């Protein structure tokens, strides 16, 4: 009988003030969406490989076209993972932008220090990287016009 007990219904937040756990809930939902997309891609893109192996093991059937398609889809799966993370996660997007801007905009520098210092936040580190990139680009433009 305790299973059918009614619980009191709490009013929903009106949106005027943010609850302390609201940011954690948004992050959790974003993480769950990312994991769901990754799992779905895994299932769809690696299913032909599993079908090919099952046909080969149990029916002794092997098709070159099926193996070729399975191989291409497996490689595509490996390539799409970073893209999915980049599209669905703000931190990955920021890191990609910072890395690519340092690589292509300031390509003359030979070394890349991608390990952030331990005493600052990732947001502050991203801000520093973007400032450094802007400063380098501005100095390069000034040098070209002189």
């Amino acid at each position: 009988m305790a299973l059918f007990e009614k619980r009191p219904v709490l009013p929903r937040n009106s949106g005027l003030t943010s609850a302390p756990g609201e940011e954690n809930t948004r992050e959790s939902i974003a993480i769950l969406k990312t994991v769901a997309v990754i799992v779905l891609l895994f299932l769809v893109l690696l299913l032909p490989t599993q079908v090919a192996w099952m046909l080969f093991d149990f029916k002794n059937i092997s098709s070159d076209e099926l193996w070729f398609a399975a191989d291409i889809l497996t490689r595509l799966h490996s390539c799409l993972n970073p893209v999915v993370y980049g599209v669905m996660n703000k931190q990955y997007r920021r890191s990609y932008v910072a890395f690519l801007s340092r690589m292509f905009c300031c390509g003359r520098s030979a070394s890349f220090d991608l390990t952030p210092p331990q005493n600052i936040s990732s947001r502050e580190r991203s801000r520093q990287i973007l400032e450094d990139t802007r400063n380098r680009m501005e100095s390069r433009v000034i040098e070209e016009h002189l």
Side-chain angles (χ1 to χ4, degrees):
M1 288 307 213
L3 293 174
F4 299 109
E5 247 179 61
K6 281 192 171 185
R7 293 184 179 172
V9 178
L10 300 174
R12 286 188 171 193
N13 192 354
S14 64
L16 299 175
T17 60
S18 62
E22 187 174 328
E23 186 64 33
N24 289 337
T25 304
R26 286 183 188 160
E27 289 176 9
S28 297
I29 290 172
I31 290 170
L32 285 174
K33 285 180 182 179
T34 303
V35 169
V37 170
I38 293 294
V39 168
L40 184 67
L41 279 175
F42 177 83
L43 292 173
V44 170
L45 295 176
L46 296 181
L47 182 65
T49 304
Q50 299 305 314
V51 169
W53 278 112
M54 294 198 55
L55 287 173
F56 181 71
D57 286 342
F58 295 114
K59 296 284 188 173
N60 204 14
I61 299 172
S62 183
S63 169
D64 289 338
E65 292 84 11
L66 180 59
W67 284 109
F68 178 76
D71 184 50
I72 295 295
L73 290 175
T74 301
R75 292 170 193 252
L76 180 64
H77 174 260
S78 298
C79 295
L80 284 180
N81 270 342
V83 173
V84 169
Y85 281 114
V87 167
M88 300 191 75
N89 189 319
K90 287 181 186 178
Q91 289 175 333
Y92 276 94
R93 267 195 308 269
R94 289 180 187 144
S95 296
Y96 285 154
V97 167
F99 176 74
L100 293 174
S101 66
R102 289 179 74 188
M103 179 183 271
F104 294 116
C105 295
C106 306
R108 293 185 184 142
S109 64
S111 64
F112 294 106
D113 181 24
L114 297 177
T115 57
Q118 299 299 324
N119 57 354
I120 63 172
S121 68
S122 62
R123 177 177 287 167
E124 184 63 30
R125 176 69 179 155
S126 297
R127 197 172 298 133
Q128 286 177 351
I129 290 171
L130 289 174
E131 277 183 38
D132 290 344
T133 304
R134 283 188 200 118
N135 291 338
R136 288 182 192 155
M137 290 174 63
E138 287 174 2
S139 64
R140 190 173 291 158
V141 168
I142 291 171
E143 288 173 4
E144 288 175 359
H145 289 293
L146 290 178

